[in-house]
Amino acid sequence: AIGSSNYTAARLKAALDVSAAQGLPRFESHQPVYNLMDRGIEADLLPLCRAEEVGLITYSSLASGFLTGKYRTAADLGKSVRGERSVAKHMTAKGMAVLAAVDALAARHRVGQAAIALAWQIARPGITAPIASATSPEQLAELAAAAGVDLSAADMAELDAASA
């Protein structure tokens, strides 16, 4: 099976059409950025992939670590090389609202913030698998905990409202 990454919906649709017309192998998966801070695929790419039965394997599922709660102030940006380069753009009123919602749900479900951010993606129709990386056994355990989090409709609405 082959996949694509970071295509627009129009480009992916064109590729799927060419594959069908010429009897070529088609893209069976697509890998876009998607997380509570970056929801741009919802308007066109996500519906296209659902309609065409193309699996969505998202990356940057934790918004470069922002959704773990590691970065909350400008001073926190120095905690890693990603800070200024990839996380600073999330240090906004929206970002703080998203973290507050993630924090509240993490406390209610008794898991870490990363587990909530991944559980939200797992619960989203059309998402095949979110990708997140771990650099320690503790981080890996938190990521794995996401599979056991059952977010209610109210939980999902709370996260959606904060991240809209």
Side-chain angles (χ1 to χ4, degrees):
I2 59 173
S4 56
S5 181
N6 293 327
Y7 279 16
T8 64
R11 184 173 183 194
L12 180 57
K13 177 67 172 139
L16 293 170
D17 290 347
V18 167
S19 296
Q22 298 192 16
L24 299 170
R26 63 178 238 143
F27 289 129
E28 297 295 341
S29 67
H30 185 71
Q31 187 179 41
V33 169
Y34 186 61
N35 57 61
L36 282 161
M37 297 302 298
D38 298 299
R39 297 179 62 178
I41 69 167
E42 292 176 357
D44 53 6
L45 188 60
L46 180 57
L48 171 66
C49 288
R50 288 184 74 188
E52 295 284 343
E53 297 182 346
V54 172
L56 275 170
I57 305 168
T58 65
Y59 74 92
S60 195
S61 299
L62 298 175
S64 299
F66 178 75
L67 295 171
T68 67
K70 177 180 177 176
Y71 305 96
R72 295 179 183 271
T73 67
D76 292 338
L77 296 175
K79 290 181 177 179
S80 79
V81 295
R82 291 185 194 174
E84 287 293 333
R85 184 182 69 220
S86 302
V87 180
K89 66 183 176 184
H90 300 308
M91 304 291 278
T92 62
K94 174 188 170 181
M96 294 305 113
V98 169
L99 282 184
V102 169
D103 289 344
L105 288 170
R108 286 201 295 269
H109 287 272
R110 295 186 178 104
V111 295
Q113 291 89 343
I116 295 298
L118 292 177
W120 174 82
Q121 281 202 41
I122 291 167
R124 301 288 298 173
I127 302 300
T128 306
I131 295 175
S133 61
T135 58
S136 70
E138 295 78 22
Q139 287 178 357
L140 181 59
E142 183 176 347
L143 299 180
V149 175
D150 186 20
L151 296 175
S152 69
D155 293 340
M156 293 294 286
E158 187 175 341
L159 291 168
D160 286 340
S163 66

